[in-house]
Amino acid sequence: AEGYDMVHYGHSNQLRQAKAMGDHLVVGVHTDGEIAKHKGPPVFTQEERYKMVRAIKWVDEVVEGAPYVTTLETLDKHNCDFCVHGDDITLTVDGKDTYDEVKRMGRYRECKRTQGVSTTDLVGRMLLMTKAHHTNMDNSDYQQHADNFGKGPKGHSPWTGVSQFLQTSQKIIQFASGKEPQPGDTIIYVAGAFDLFHIGHVDFLEAVFKQAERPYVIVGLHFDQEVNRYKGKNYPIMNIHERTLSVLACRYVSEVVIGAPYAVDKDLLDHFKEPRKRGIFRVIESRNGLTTDDIVQRIIENRLQFEARNQKKEAKEMAAIEALRRREDGEKSQA
């Protein structure tokens, strides 16, 4: 069970590994209230988060409003043999291992974190709204931001403006469906940036998927330079490799073209044995106007509030400690 607030391909990879350990994957997602209590208000509403997790192809079932601590009772209630978590330790408010009980009973398994991606890393890239981050690591905006965002243990920023993710053919194979279109399938081609794969994309792809009885949806992804050309700033926030995995993890997608042309031409359609009949272009309403820009704004605002709250909390704590120290000093001098 997780909050799944900013679902990214690292989460998808975790769910893929979890599914491979068993037959039926049940994913618990916390409510807004539960997350707010432990971490501050989430960027996405619980409805958006439930839908986002359901769209990941390895997920068989979602438990809405899952408790923050996974207990044996929770596992039994949903007929689960064991629970899976990443290899980072999570602690309860009183400093205990959240998974202590299930670990003791041998009903716990671990999956590996995906190197090169984390929510902090992605937020860091979003806060870097300059065109430079695809080409220039020495840029002063970048350096200044790296300094502001807090240092990791070695005195380096915990994220970098340029992705640290390394693509391998193995990762693509793990995420790919490997299915070819079958006779009778309707092949549907859509193209775009699909940057920071989000709920707006999911709603759109679901609408595309529903266009046919037996859809075979191919998503064309534009290369980074192409996306940067038409979106500007420092888009895309995720590079082509990251966007490939993000889209492949979606249950409505059968195949991805890595580096699709901006203009769709006859050769491209012929490559997918598209029928000769033209008049095959349709505009599909996604019923969701959310853009990557909106998402970035939401995340940045949320993060700034989060940081302000933390600073206030720290200031309060420091003031309390100071008051306590003064009182102790006063008592000492009277004695």
Side-chain angles (χ1 to χ4, degrees):
E2 294 268 352
Y4 294 105
D5 190 22
M6 263 184 67
V7 175
H8 51 67
Y9 63 94
H11 296 120
S12 301
N13 194 35
Q14 180 190 14
L15 295 169
R16 179 191 66 77
Q17 292 176 66
K19 170 74 175 190
M21 295 176 191
D23 305 304
H24 188 83
L25 179 60
V26 180
V27 182
V29 183
H30 310 315
T31 60
D32 295 345
E34 191 75 355
I35 293 178
K37 203 163 72 186
H38 294 268
K39 293 184 170 177
V43 179
F44 296 97
T45 67
Q46 56 202 44
E47 295 311 320
E48 289 173 317
R49 291 182 291 107
Y50 299 152
K51 185 159 193 181
M52 201 65 202
V53 174
R54 281 196 175 97
I56 295 170
K57 64 182 174 187
W58 296 286
V59 175
D60 296 303
E61 196 182 321
V62 166
V63 172
E64 302 184 355
Y68 205 76
V69 175
T70 303
T71 59
L72 292 169
E73 190 190 348
T74 311
L75 292 183
D76 292 339
K77 183 180 171 187
H78 300 289
N79 302 318
C80 297
D81 296 308
F82 57 87
C83 68
V84 179
H85 193 261
D87 49 11
D88 52 324
I89 289 178
T90 55
L91 302 174
T92 57
V93 188
D94 46 8
K96 283 215 331 260
D97 180 350
T98 317
Y99 290 89
D100 185 49
E101 185 190 17
V102 288
K103 278 180 180 173
R104 280 205 315 268
M105 299 308 290
R107 292 175 69 179
Y108 174 86
R109 306 270 190 287
E110 218 159 64
C111 59
K112 290 188 177 68
R113 267 202 68 231
T114 307
Q115 289 304 310
V117 66
S118 68
T119 306
T120 313
D121 167 73
L122 291 172
V123 171
R125 297 190 218 171
M126 286 173 222
L127 289 165
L128 240 186
M129 274 299 166
T130 83
K131 259 192 171 180
H133 102 146
H134 288 282
T135 52
N136 181 5
M137 287 285 287
D138 303 319
N139 166 300
S140 63
D141 286 355
Y142 172 77
Q143 289 302 342
Q144 184 197 341
H145 202 89
D147 292 343
N148 295 347
F149 206 69
K151 301 279 198 280
K154 296 196 176 73
H156 293 296
S157 160
W159 55 272
T160 61
V162 175
S163 163
Q164 296 297 293
F165 172 72
L166 297 175
Q167 183 74 291
T168 61
S169 57
Q170 182 60 25
K171 286 198 187 96
I172 295 178
I173 289 166
Q174 287 169 341
F175 272 61
S177 74
K179 291 193 192 78
E180 300 216 334
Q182 300 305 307
D185 284 359
T186 303
I187 299 174
I188 307 170
Y189 178 78
V190 298
F194 292 90
D195 190 17
L196 269 188
F197 196 75
H198 57 71
I199 192 73
H201 297 133
V202 166
D203 283 342
F204 170 66
L205 290 170
E206 184 187 23
V208 168
F209 187 81
K210 286 179 173 168
Q211 294 295 302
E213 194 76 22
R214 291 178 47 189
Y216 186 95
V217 179
I218 298 166
V219 174
L221 290 177
H222 301 142
F223 277 133
D224 298 343
Q225 282 79 355
E226 187 67 38
V227 176
N228 192 248
R229 184 184 63 76
Y230 64 79
K231 294 204 58 169
K233 295 186 188 164
N234 69 335
Y235 289 114
I237 288 173
M238 283 187 172
N239 69 31
I240 185 78
H241 304 307
E242 299 176 290
R243 292 184 284 122
T244 298
L245 294 188
S246 304
V247 173
L248 281 174
C250 179
R251 66 171 69 250
Y252 305 119
V253 176
S254 298
E255 183 59 289
V256 166
V257 177
I258 304 168
Y262 188 68
V264 176
D265 61 11
K266 181 178 165 299
D267 290 347
L268 182 87
L269 294 178
D270 287 347
H271 181 77
F272 299 112
K273 317 228 176 345
E274 185 65 45
R276 287 290 165 277
K277 61 177 196 302
R278 292 296 171 233
I280 50 177
F281 179 77
R282 278 188 219 171
V283 174
I284 294 171
E285 288 297 324
S286 79
R287 308 183 309 284
N288 186 332
L290 264 187
T291 65
T292 300
D293 241 344
D294 300 334
I295 300 285
V296 169
Q297 289 315 312
R298 257 164 93 165
I299 288 166
I300 288 175
E301 277 167 35
N302 177 283
R303 185 52 55 129
L304 294 175
Q305 283 170 0
F306 173 75
E307 284 176 0
R309 263 202 318 276
N310 270 7
Q311 279 167 356
K312 261 193 210 150
K313 199 171 116 195
E314 264 176 38
K316 263 190 206 154
E317 284 166 5
M318 291 310 288
I321 290 167
E322 185 58 28
L324 212 79
R325 202 174 57 77
R326 277 215 206 96
R327 206 171 70 205
E328 282 169 2
D329 288 351
E331 282 166 6
K332 273 185 203 149
S333 61
Q334 281 169 8

